[in-house]
Amino acid sequence: MRSLLTLPLCALLLTAAAPGQEASPVSRPSYDPCAADQFQWSKLPDVLPASPAERETWAHALALDAAVYGGLAVAQYWQMYAQGVDTKDPDYTGFNRFHHERRLAYPGYKAFKTPNVDTLYSNAWLDLTGGPVLVTVPPMDTPSLDKGRYFAFNLLDAYGNASNISTRIQGNGGGTYLVATTDWQGTVPPGATLFRVTTPYVWVLLRIKANDAADAKRVAKLQDAFTLTPTAAHDGPAPQFPDAADRSAIGYFRMLDFILRANGHPRSEDALVYRWHGIGLAGPKSLDTALADPAIRKGLERGHADAMKVIADSVTQAGLHLDHWRSPYDAGRMGWNYLERTGLMIATGANVPTENYAFVTYVDADGDPLDGSRYTYELVQTPPPAKYYWSYTPYLRENRELIPNAAQKYIINDRTPGLKHEPDGQLRVVLSAVRPKGVAAANWLPVSGAPFVLAIRSQGPDKALLDGTWTPAPIRKLGPVR
């Protein structure tokens, strides 16, 4: 058993209160039982209830817990399978290879939900099971491109924990990085910087700022200059990846079992994962062996169904609550907040707030759901203070996709031509299905005739964002749709 005293400082800091939040009551800290005299651990696996009814109840409880834990990991697995495993998928590249998007995101964008329309995306899945991957980052300040071009080479582990090689952290001078797991031991090539990640399967979500469609063509050259070079091939039997097309409860747990076995889990979660061994997850007993018991199978199916209800009911509760807005304050760093983490199943790829401080709202100033089929709205405020860019982007509430509209306009940002500011410097943005008379085209955001959510992004957030000084204004109704 690993000592709990080996928890890193980053885990211990989970007890720190967020801005505006109540400090935690004082509690005695956790202890290391191995430091006690004569403390012993059990040698046998935990028991199972004797009756089928109670085994089903027991399996239901564990399955609900495991399904909540693994939701974001499973959603990322669906994406990994499509790009890295399924040779029949149109977006298949295999592992350690980029799929470059050559245009800004659009309605129906397939790679993931809630895409921004500020950057060009490149997706890759790293397979570090054989060894590290060498990453080449080109200089971003070149004579043919704008000086200070923002980029973020965002690495997300199998559970959605984010880290970055970016303009904000490393600057725009370019470089070579050896991406390796925390347990890798070897020699770093000359001129390369070692960059540690937690799991052997890692999603790379590269974002490079693009001003418009014409600028995107220039950015494509930068995308091609990023390279991924494996340093060693996978040694051993080929992994048996579960079919991501199986969206049943049992398929869900097959994928979660693979994720846990292939990637491991944080040391601080040993006891949590140990509890799931009895239902066949990540333990000495296989999932198929556990499923041979009809009571356990039924418990898993019921637990999964109830977990999906709990998750759906919790999505809008995530993050810091700021009047009618919510900030996904812990996106990319959710630690043990598994329910909040799994709420991101519908919006994978979230980065840490120090890179992108975001806000989202589902309601207007009256607390009513935002609905472009019923009302016209306005948002009046000073734009968020961000070093690299800010933007407002609406999405369909039902699926978090960009909203189709005849104007083909999906965003207002700091680069939108012709934006008109109020005399006091504030920006008034009108959200409606049809542009009202007298409203400048630049200041109008089409929201079609459907319920929607609005996201605010602040890339490279200023201190006023990080300390809670700047917060968004409520969205107000201008009047009903006529």
Side-chain angles (χ1 to χ4, degrees), residues 303 355 481:
E355 195 73 39
V481 171

Side-chain angles (χ1 to χ4, degrees), residues 1-6 29-41 271:
M1 179 66 181
R2 300 182 180 96
S3 166
L4 295 182
L5 291 181
T6 59
S30 58
Y31 59 85
D32 179 9
C34 296
D37 292 334
Q38 300 181 13
F39 190 98
Q40 298 188 36
W41 291 97

Side-chain angles (χ1 to χ4, degrees), residues 61-71 252-253 256 276 279 281:
L62 293 181
L64 192 156
D65 192 42
V68 166
Y69 170 92
Y252 185 99
F253 287 117
L256 179 56
W276 304 332
I279 57 173
L281 296 178

Side-chain angles (χ1 to χ4, degrees), residues 382-407:
T382 302
K387 184 174 182 179
Y388 303 115
Y389 65 78
W390 59 262
S391 62
Y392 302 161
T393 315
Y395 301 92
L396 291 169
R397 179 164 181 153
E398 64 176 352
N399 58 17
R400 303 301 193 277
E401 293 187 0
L402 293 166
I403 301 175
N405 63 87

Side-chain angles (χ1 to χ4, degrees), residues 114-166:
T114 33
N116 75 51
V117 196
D118 297 285
T119 68
L120 283 195
Y121 285 112
S122 299
N123 283 276
W125 281 91
L126 304 186
D127 177 358
L128 308 179
T129 57
V133 167
L134 205 60
V135 176
T136 300
V137 176
M140 304 301 286
D141 293 340
T142 63
S144 61
L145 294 166
D146 296 338
K147 184 173 178 61
R149 172 85 61 174
Y150 174 81
F151 84 98
F153 186 94
N154 185 197
L155 301 102
L156 298 109
D157 73 11
Y159 303 100
N161 299 297
S163 54
N164 292 275
I165 299 168
S166 69

Side-chain angles (χ1 to χ4, degrees), residues 184-196:
W184 176 78
Q185 296 181 347
T187 302
V188 179
T193 300
L194 180 62
F195 193 99
R196 296 281 193 183

